[in-house]
Amino acid sequence: MTTLVVIAKETIPGKVKTRLHPPLSLEQAADVAAAAIQDTLDVVRRLPATRRVLLFDGNRRPVGSEDFDVIPQIGGDLDARLGALFDEVDGKTVLIGMDTPQVTVEALAPVFDAWTDDVDAWFGPANDGGFWALGLSRPTGDLLRGVPMSRDDTGAHQLRRLADAGLTVRMLPELVDVDTIDDARLVAAVAPDSRFAAALRHAEAPPTTTTTNGVARTTDPATEGVTS
């Protein structure tokens, strides 16, 4: 029995993916973030988890999460919020983020196929030095509280915390975490058929001009949102 948790926050312009602005507008960055969440939820839904949870910060839950249990994020720094999650759940639990929409069923399959009794934890490193996935067979928030988050050595600190606790850790593949526009373009190239890639293509499309009854009208994707 395995619980699979996605951590996400409401995609309000100016509150999510702000490092994509510029070149994207804040509204476009929010659209891209919303697409990333939907892609991630789609993958989670296809995995044989016994419980699917959205660890959520916000009021309006994302499209595609209707069949997920919702656990509100507490206040405080990220390590405290993650620690609270791992204190609340029971049994084998895997947490993944919303910033790797290129994640696949195959990338997470080892958690379900090879989580034997001698494996205490799973760790998915991100290219920026953080991590995109963390699984614990006996979840406790003490394994996360105090770990410095959102740094280029966060992953190293978290792995050291697991090792210091005497845990046997198995590794998942490294994924690109979408922070910058270059990251976003790389991820879109890896997963060209994803909602994320479509949202990014829409956002970066050049303005187009059409003429109707002699009147020219320019459409700029920068002023238009993406709906799903």
Side-chain angles (χ1 to χ4, degrees):
M1 299 178 66
T2 303
T3 296
L4 196 45
V5 183
V6 178
I7 180 171
K9 60 183 176 181
E10 189 173 356
T11 52
I12 300 171
K15 299 293 186 181
V16 292
K17 292 296 163 209
T18 55
R19 291 177 62 187
L20 299 181
H21 167 71
L24 303 190
S25 68
L26 294 175
E27 291 75 13
Q28 288 172 325
D31 287 336
V32 167
I37 294 174
Q38 290 182 53
D39 286 333
T40 305
L41 295 176
D42 282 349
V43 169
V44 169
R45 197 177 291 105
R46 291 163 56 199
L47 288 159
T50 51
R51 185 188 183 196
R52 296 172 180 85
V53 174
L54 181 69
L55 181 61
F56 192 53
D57 177 13
N59 298 308
R60 184 180 176 185
R61 60 191 293 176
V63 174
S65 66
E66 293 79 10
D67 55 343
F68 283 59
D69 295 335
V70 175
I71 296 178
Q73 293 184 37
I74 68 167
D77 293 335
L78 181 56
D79 65 307
R81 286 179 275 146
L82 298 184
L85 175 275
F86 280 105
D87 280 340
E88 184 166 342
V89 294
D90 295 310
K92 294 177 178 177
T93 300
V94 181
L95 170 76
I96 67 172
M98 56 168 278
D99 297 330
T100 51
Q102 77 278 32
V103 67
T104 61
V105 169
E106 292 73 22
L108 281 164
V111 169
F112 298 93
D113 298 338
W115 200 334
T116 53
D117 291 341
D118 60 332
V119 177
D120 301 308
W122 290 89
F123 187 83
N127 68 311
D128 61 359
F131 59 93
W132 65 271
L134 178 64
L136 298 175
S137 61
R138 293 176 294 277
T140 171
D142 290 342
L143 290 170
L144 292 102
R145 278 185 288 270
V147 172
M149 296 288 170
S150 303
R151 296 181 2 180
D152 60 7
D153 60 353
T154 291
H157 279 280
Q158 184 63 70
L159 275 173
R160 189 175 305 116
R161 179 69 67 85
L162 301 177
D164 289 346
L167 303 187
T168 299
V169 182
R170 293 281 298 275
M171 302 297 290
L172 295 170
E174 180 178 291
L175 294 182
V176 174
D177 185 285
V178 176
D179 288 322
T180 67
I181 193 63
D182 288 339
D183 296 330
R185 290 166 180 161
L186 181 57
V187 167
V190 170
D193 298 326
S194 63
R195 289 186 178 90
F196 177 85
L200 186 63
R201 285 193 297 269
H202 180 87
E204 295 202 294
T208 58
T209 300
T210 58
T211 302
T212 304
N213 298 326
V215 178
R217 178 176 181 272
T218 298
T219 302
D220 187 351
T223 63
E224 296 186 344
V226 176
T227 58
S228 301

